[in-house]
Amino acid sequence: MKTSATMILFFLGIFISAQENFVQINGNTNINSFKCINTSFKISNLALNLSNKQLPNLSLKVDDFDCHHKIMTSDFKKTLSADEHPYLNIKFLNVDKNKNIYNTQIEVRMMNKSKIYNITLCMENGKLTGKRSVKFSDFNIKPPKKMGGMVVVKDDLNLIFALDAT
């Protein structure tokens, strides 16, 4: 178990260094896992904002998420009602900095529902990174079922951030 966790962190580290900015949503079904990622947003002056203990608000277009599988991407956008609610918003409410660690509260807004979470972000190699567990049910979203209920998406999701701070 320890080896697989180390491998996941290693590959996550490679992925983080390969991307400039991204927000990734990871989830599982009773059959496999999925990753939907958005890299289509820009952040300016993050390093300057960090010195003032401010972080940018992120407005992520749901249509810009890619699950690396056409049907999964389509299902993801349908589940989040991309036509009616085209943006997933992440608002940083407050930031408490201690060396390279940023403890913050974020407000995640999906489909006109908001939820506040505490999250710890770390500065590594010029990237501000963090991860937070969320649930579909936090936003009154019923996890989808496919093939007459044979494939069931689990309620738990992982929200992963990597923001370029150089």
Side-chain angles (χ1 to χ4, degrees):
M1 182 80 167
K2 187 176 179 183
T3 304
S4 64
T6 303
M7 292 297 288
I8 289 169
L9 289 174
F10 173 74
F11 287 117
L12 180 59
I14 289 172
F15 186 71
I16 287 171
S17 65
Q19 299 289 330
E20 284 193 34
N21 295 311
F22 73 85
V23 172
Q24 181 175 310
I25 298 173
N26 296 340
N28 293 294
T29 70
N30 58 322
I31 295 175
N32 62 12
S33 61
F34 61 90
K35 291 182 224 181
C36 300
I37 188 165
N38 185 324
T39 59
S40 299
F41 61 97
K42 303 282 184 222
I43 298 173
S44 60
N45 299 324
L46 181 58
L48 177 64
N49 290 339
L50 288 175
S51 66
N52 294 327
K53 294 186 179 180
Q54 294 179 346
L55 293 172
N57 295 327
L58 305 176
S59 188
L60 308 170
K61 196 169 183 182
V62 174
D63 279 338
D64 289 342
F65 277 90
D66 182 6
C67 303
H68 305 293
H69 185 274
K70 190 176 182 177
I71 294 173
M72 287 293 295
T73 300
S74 175
D75 287 347
F76 179 81
K77 292 174 184 179
K78 183 178 176 186
T79 298
L80 296 185
S81 300
D83 291 339
E84 295 173 47
H85 308 284
Y87 290 94
L88 182 155
N89 295 295
I90 301 169
K91 182 178 183 179
F92 292 89
L93 301 175
N94 60 48
V95 179
D96 181 31
K97 181 183 177 196
N98 184 4
K99 296 187 182 181
N100 286 336
I101 306 292
Y102 297 82
N103 293 308
T104 185
Q105 279 189 324
I106 61 171
E107 177 184 26
V108 178
R109 184 169 185 79
M110 257 191 292
M111 296 176 58
N112 286 337
K113 306 272 188 293
S114 294
K115 180 79 175 177
I116 295 175
Y117 300 98
N118 292 319
I119 187 169
T120 299
L121 303 171
C122 301
M123 182 63 73
E124 300 176 56
N125 302 323
K127 305 255 187 251
L128 191 61
T129 61
K131 182 169 89 169
R132 176 65 201 199
S133 295
V134 299
K135 296 179 178 276
F136 277 117
S137 57
D138 290 346
F139 302 94
N140 296 331
I141 300 171
K142 210 176 243 189
K145 296 178 183 180
K146 294 293 174 187
M147 298 178 64
M150 290 176 50
V151 178
V152 179
V153 176
K154 296 185 179 179
D155 194 29
D156 299 310
L157 301 167
N158 283 310
L159 184 63
I160 299 172
F161 299 86
L163 307 175
D164 187 15
T166 54

